[in-house]
Structures are given as C-alpha cells and as structure tokens.
Amino acid sequence: MEDHQRVLIGQMIERIDLYGSGEIPLPKLVDDIRGLFEAASPRGLNIRDSFEEIWADLDAESELRTEPWAPPGLADDAHLREILRRLRSWIEWHGLAPYDP
C-alpha cells in the first residue's frame, strides 16, 4: 500500500474518535469510513475483503439503530464496541504500519 493510501486509512481513526466523543453520529461515521476507504482505493483483494467484512457489520449495526424497519431492541452496544475495536485494529494494521514497498 502506498503512503497516501495509508494516510487516508489512518484518518479513519480520527473519525472513530469523533464518534466516540459524540461529535458525529454513527451513520456519519459509517459514511466517512466508506469514503476514506474508497478514496484510498487499495488494490489488494485481501485488504478489500477484510475491510468489507468489518464495514458491513458496522453498516448493519448502524441500520439497526436508525432505520424505521428495525425493531426496537435489536441494536447491541457490546457488538458495536467489538466492531469498532476490530475496525481500529484493521486500521492500525493496514493504515498505520510502516510503508513497505
């Protein structure tokens, strides 16, 4: 992964922190994370697949909290915390690791 891609992916940490401090809502976090990933446009299939798995969980948890079709009580705070932990670990591995051409 190139340096500019790592910078974009690393910016996801800032978005998670903004969500954690209450400065942005969960749907904004979901959109921002997706936008940063798309802007980084990593080519590696394993990178894309591992991101998609985590992001899909995050998006689904957001929908359970925001969509009118979602029955009350299905959202799970512990599950959301685990998704955010996994996402942060993914970012640290892919976005913050030293550049290795």
Side-chain angles (χ1 to χ4, degrees):
M1 191 176 301
E2 297 177 20
D3 286 338
H4 74 279
Q5 292 171 308
R6 290 184 188 283
V7 168
L8 289 167
I9 289 174
Q11 288 176 5
M12 293 179 188
I13 293 280
E14 296 169 15
R15 299 310 195 285
I16 293 171
D17 290 344
L18 288 173
Y19 169 74
S21 68
E23 293 181 54
I24 62 172
L26 186 55
K28 172 82 171 130
L29 174 64
V30 171
D31 289 345
D32 287 357
I33 295 295
R34 167 57 72 185
L36 286 165
F37 183 78
E38 292 302 327
S41 190
R43 292 182 200 100
L45 186 57
N46 62 334
I47 293 171
R48 295 192 76 78
D49 286 349
S50 61
F51 171 81
E52 290 297 340
E53 180 182 332
I54 298 167
W55 185 85
D57 284 347
L58 182 63
D59 186 46
E61 192 64 38
S62 178
E63 287 182 349
L64 291 176
R65 296 161 188 272
T66 58
E67 294 296 325
W69 54 259
L74 283 184
D76 182 341
D77 291 342
H79 185 238
L80 177 59
R81 284 190 300 275
E82 175 59 19
I83 294 166
L84 292 174
R85 184 202 61 75
R86 286 175 40 223
L87 179 58
R88 188 178 289 269
S89 292
W90 184 92
I91 294 163
E92 289 170 353
W93 176 255
H94 294 288
L96 304 179
Y99 177 59
D100 185 13

